[in-house]
Amino acid sequence: MKNTMKVERAKLNITQAELADRVNVSRQTINSIEIGKFVPSTLLALKIAKIFDTTVDEVFALEAEDWG
């Protein structure tokens, strides 16, 4: 699953650690999501989208291999 978290964070000028604090996870979790090693829960995806003032669909998108 691809995501635009790094771009969205840049728009708000916040670090991975700041985003992690806002959604109550570790910075390592945010890093793992950004690099595609971890798929967030629905709840976490909704929280992240809310911080970015956008929709989950704008932050996260399925890729062809996700359908496999």
Side-chain angles (χ1 to χ4, degrees), residues 12-26:
L12 294 178
N13 196 29
I14 61 173
T15 65
Q16 287 181 344
E18 289 169 326
L19 177 58
D21 286 343
R22 291 186 189 189
V23 296
N24 201 30
V25 297
S26 70

Side-chain angles (χ1 to χ4, degrees), residues 4-16:
T4 60
M5 286 179 50
K6 191 171 185 177
V7 172
E8 295 296 332
R9 280 193 309 99
K11 289 179 188 176
L12 294 178
N13 196 29
I14 61 173
T15 65
Q16 287 181 344

Side-chain angles (χ1 to χ4, degrees), residues 43-60:
L43 180 61
L44 181 52
L46 287 164
K47 287 179 180 179
I48 291 168
K50 185 145 185 95
I51 295 296
F52 295 148
D53 193 30
T54 190
T55 64
V56 171
D57 285 350
E58 290 293 321
V59 181
F60 301 99

